[in-house]
Amino acid sequence: MEAEETTPERETSVQSGLRFLGEVACRYQADEVRPEDLPMIAAEALAAGLDSPALCELAGWPRNADARDVRDAFEQALAESGIGLPDRGLARRHALRRMAARLIDGEITPAALAKDDWWETEAETAAEQSFVALIPQCDCCIEYILGLDRQTWVAQMRNAALALTSSPPIGPGC
C-alpha cells in the first residue's frame, strides 16, 4: 500500500479545516451554534479536508436528528480531530466580544442583548465588566434597572462595546 502523498495544498486545507472546526467548537460552547446546524458544519469540515469517522457520520444526518445524538457525534468528531472543547466561560467571553463587534457594526441592537443571558457572563477584564454591567436581564427593564433613558443607554452600550473590541485579546480561542 502506498503512503498518501502530502502536498502543501493538502496541509493548508487541513489546517484551515481544523481552524474552522476549532472556531465552531468555541461558538458551540457559547451556545451560538444550534444542534440542527452541526451536520452541515460537519460537511463543511469534510469539504475543507478534515476526515474522521464521526465527522463523516454526522455530515450525513438530517437537521431534525435528535439533538443529544448530534451533540454527542459532534463532540466525538472534535475528539477524533484532536480538538478539545474550550472552557465554557472562555467561550462565552469570546462570544461577548463578537456581540460587541456586531453591536458596533449595527448588526444587532442593544436591546437584542437583553433578550439572551449575556448579562450573566462572567466578565474578567474591566472592559468586559463595563459592557456586561449595561446589559439588563430583559428589554423592559432598561429604564427601571439602569435608571437611564434609552438614548443614553444606547450611547453607553456603544462606548462600552468600542472599549471591549479595542481591548487586548483575552487569549487563544475563537
Side-chain angles (χ1 to χ4, degrees):
M1 180 183 279
E2 292 183 34
E4 184 176 318
E5 187 176 326
T6 303
T7 64
E9 295 83 20
R10 170 122 173 89
E11 287 180 26
T12 302
S13 177
V14 170
Q15 290 170 345
S16 175
L18 287 171
R19 190 171 33 261
F20 165 73
L21 205 53
E23 290 171 4
V24 171
C26 189
R27 291 178 51 231
Y28 169 80
Q29 278 293 82
D31 297 325
E32 293 180 294
V33 176
R34 299 177 312 208
E36 59 266 23
D37 295 331
L38 292 173
M40 182 56 74
I41 288 169
E44 290 172 18
L46 288 170
L50 295 182
D51 190 17
S52 81
L55 204 55
C56 291
E57 180 182 351
L58 181 57
W61 287 6
R63 288 181 58 83
N64 62 352
D66 182 81
R68 286 177 303 224
D69 293 339
V70 170
R71 285 186 184 103
D72 290 345
F74 179 68
E75 291 177 19
Q76 179 64 36
L78 291 175
E80 290 173 0
S81 299
I83 298 171
L85 281 172
D87 173 74
R88 180 168 167 70
L90 181 61
R92 292 287 289 181
R93 290 176 63 209
H94 279 285
L96 189 66
R97 288 170 92 65
R98 285 190 299 277
M99 281 292 185
R102 290 180 61 208
L103 179 68
I104 293 166
D105 292 341
E107 295 175 17
I108 59 170
T109 64
L113 292 172
K115 295 179 182 169
D116 204 346
D117 60 354
W118 292 108
W119 59 274
E120 291 181 321
T121 303
E122 292 185 33
E124 293 184 20
T125 68
E128 290 171 348
Q129 291 167 354
S130 295
F131 187 68
V132 169
L134 290 168
I135 302 173
Q137 293 181 20
C138 63
D139 188 30
C140 63
C141 296
I142 293 169
E143 293 169 22
Y144 173 73
I145 292 176
L146 301 175
L148 304 171
D149 64 70
R150 190 172 286 270
Q151 188 175 9
T152 301
W153 174 68
V154 168
Q156 288 183 345
M157 284 293 296
R158 181 166 171 69
N159 289 337
L162 285 167
L164 178 56
T165 58
S166 64
S167 66
I170 57 176
C174 51

